[in-house]
Amino acid sequence: MIRATNIVKYRGEARVLDGASIEVRKGQVAAMVGPSGGGKSTLLRCINGLEEFHEGEVAVGTLKLKGSEIPSRHTLLQLRHTVGMVFQQFNLFPHMTVLKNVMSGPVYALGKTTDEAETTAKKWLGRVGLAEKHDAKPGQLSGGQQQRVAIARALAVNPAAILFDEPTSALDPKMAAEVMRVIDDLADDEQLQVAMVIVSHDIAAVKRIADVVYLLEKGKVVYSGPAAEAFAPGGPASALE
Amino acid sequence: MNQRWLLVAFALLIGAPAFAQDKKELRWGTDPTGGGPYIYKDDPNGPYVGFEVEFAEYLAKKLGRTSKPVEAEWSTLPELLDKPRTGEKGIDIVLNGYEARDDLKQKYASTVPYYQYRLQLVARKDDDSITGWADLGPKKSRIGVLEASVAFDYCNKRYPGQVVPNKDVATMFNAVADKTHADVTVQDNPACVFYVADPKYKDKFKLVDDGRQPGAYLIYLRKDDKELLSALDTAIKEGLKDGTLRKIYQKYGIWNADQEWLCKELTGDFPPDDDAQVERTGRGGARSVWPLIPQLLRAAGMTIFLAIASFPLAMLAGVVIATGRVYGPVWVKIPLAVFVEVIRGTPLLLQLYFLFFILPKQFPVLAFDPIYIGILGLAINYAAYEAENYRAGIQSIPRGQLEAALALGMSPFTAIRTVIVPQAVRVVIPPVTNDFIALFKDTSVCSVILITELTRKYNELYNFNRDLVVELAFITAGLYLLMSYPLSVVARVLERRMGASAAGGHR
């Protein structure tokens, strides 16, 4: 379970997160929506320790990050093993093949053997529909395919949660749909049981896959509740459609 | 009784070979590039000859030692006395036309003079306008002199604005002969006698007027070498008195009345008369460049060794420095930035000089052989440049790459090692290859710390073989090209491969 409580973060004088809190349970899909600059991506990056925050607490299972404390190296690494992340710009490693990209987490982060990592990587590449692209370099793939590799890479470290930071924003509608289908598929997988947090402007997709919606404005969560209620006509997030 | 003799015989049997093996060397610092008649080569692949070579052999014999010349650049010879006596460049004495100088006498002990010289004016034989020192001022003659020499001081005071200084005696004589940079030259008279008599300059020069500003050549040694000093003084006096030095000096045509006077001053008596004809040595030099090529190739081997040994160290240090500068905390970043700026902002020559001559004075434990200092100096210097290359390479990698690696749970070190550095390497291949090629050429600076690499060897051969200067220059340049061109080719291949690989080529 992911619980972020009263997260406050400053950038210079600006209070970019102003006491934001979210909670996502195992197997649940949460969507963060809201206008640009509302703090959605920042909150996501605070959750897996890519950005520091100044007040509040992030708890993932038994691991905790506190705004008032500098986290230990061990805590930070454990947290990142537990929480995978998929970026808007994919951030695949261009010097590695697709297979090596997916193997990189198990090998370099978890210390798995190459054989173990390869088995895991092939499994996840198959799951995202790219089994035949093992030996390709990222530069040879379409944007949608690259993002699917990035999803496989995030899943290969066997995380308890995955954070999606605007995973389809850099893609055209066809490729975006391709990626959302994969996310949809993962969300429906009852065996997988990962908590998923997705930041997206693709409201149609969010409505389809999200169990719970958080509406962020000016660094605050101004609404949290079921997607159906949030996007219902006259609902708090209906203006975003 | 018999038993005692047997013991003595046994001791001699055991001791004699040991004694022969342990015969100490008299290690004398000299710069052969200065040329004749001090130290030079008749046969390009033969041993050194010259009046100082024979004088050193005489001294060594007197001391029960063997003579061992240790080559170094002339101006740095006294500083070798500050270094340990052992090691490749360790010396006991400096013996190479060093005059009596107050600054040196304060730091080092010096012997009695072994040669009395004067400044001699030399002009072209066909130049009738120069008939004596008095003509130099009115004729506004350009006077070629050796840098930082007594001749320089003497002429600069008397003929301001007319002095043309140069590091090299032979260059001055050539300039006069070819009517290029100088009209006359003023040198110590041994050099003048040597060049005027040289068959290569037949009928080119004339000695003009009398010598001026008499001075003396001394041997310098460590102040605490009192026993050696006393032995050398005695040997010089005896050599003058018994005519040994007369024979050596006559052989090179430099015996004159000043030496007779010197003998009288030091021993109270004139040397014995010796009118026996001594065959004067000429200067042969090589007739063709071919016999010199093996020497250039050996020196090129040293150049390659210096470059190949130092560059990997520079690359390794460069990666560490660059990583520290990009990702380290402030207390790491600041000293590394200072290091890079200091090293890039000061000449390599000065850095090598500091490492070899200055640092060991404060910390004798750091008195390593020149070859190690050369490698270390080049590595330190190039590490600063490599660090900047790598820093630029690292910073050219999008930040998202590091974030993606960290988000997977890699430690920062692993992320940099496996994700950032391999990508940065592709970016920096062209500048790094350029630096390696530049390093090949910069190895020539190591000659200042007494390493005989290609450029120093070229200088040495050039001094002894003036008529082969063009051939030697072409061969030397060709060797540098031969060493660096394959690197350029390899670099281009690597760039192409890496470029293709990053763009998405298959493994």
Side-chain angles (χ1 to χ4, degrees), chain A residues 16-80:
Chain A
V16 292
L17 289 175
D18 190 8
S21 302
I22 68 165
E23 187 175 323
V24 190
R25 291 189 306 277
K26 201 167 145 184
Q28 196 178 36
V29 179
M32 283 201 270
V33 296
S36 294
K40 307 180 294 292
S41 292
T42 306
L43 181 56
L44 215 58
R45 293 163 65 82
C46 287
I47 290 172
N48 79 340
L50 281 180
E51 288 202 31
E52 294 170 0
F53 51 94
H54 301 96
E55 291 172 30
E57 183 183 275
V58 168
V60 179
T62 56
L63 297 163
K64 285 183 181 168
L65 298 181
K66 289 186 176 173
S68 52
E69 291 172 7
I70 296 171
S72 73
R73 183 174 174 275
H74 177 74
T75 304
L76 214 48
L77 290 181
Q78 284 297 111
L79 183 96
R80 287 170 179 163

Side-chain angles (χ1 to χ4, degrees), chain B residues 239-244 246 255 260 263 269-275:
Chain B
L240 280 167
K241 198 169 181 179
D242 67 14
T244 308
R246 178 182 187 139
W255 178 261
E260 295 198 13
C263 179
D269 204 356
F270 288 106
D273 283 340
D274 181 5
D275 294 331

Side-chain angles (χ1 to χ4, degrees), chain B residues 225-284:
Chain B
D225 266 353
K226 293 194 171 66
E227 216 171 294
L228 180 61
L229 175 63
S230 163
L232 290 171
D233 278 346
T234 307
I236 292 169
K237 288 176 191 169
E238 284 178 10
L240 280 167
K241 198 169 181 179
D242 67 14
T244 308
L245 295 194
R246 178 182 187 139
K247 279 189 184 127
I248 294 172
Y249 295 167
Q250 274 180 333
K251 188 171 169 186
Y252 293 90
I254 58 169
W255 178 261
N256 53 32
D258 285 344
Q259 313 320 313
E260 295 198 13
W261 175 86
L262 177 64
C263 179
K264 175 84 164 67
E265 276 291 299
L266 294 180
T267 67
D269 204 356
F270 288 106
D273 283 340
D274 181 5
D275 294 331
Q277 288 296 306
V278 179
E279 192 189 337
R280 274 177 56 171
T281 339
R283 190 175 61 159

Side-chain angles (χ1 to χ4, degrees), chain A residues 45 73 80 92 94-95 140, chain B residues 401 403 406 411 418 423 504:
Chain A
R45 293 163 65 82
R73 183 174 174 275
R80 287 170 179 163
L92 294 182
H95 59 298
Q140 295 173 301
Chain B
Q401 290 289 305
E403 287 185 347
L406 294 177
S411 68
T418 60
Q423 293 185 63

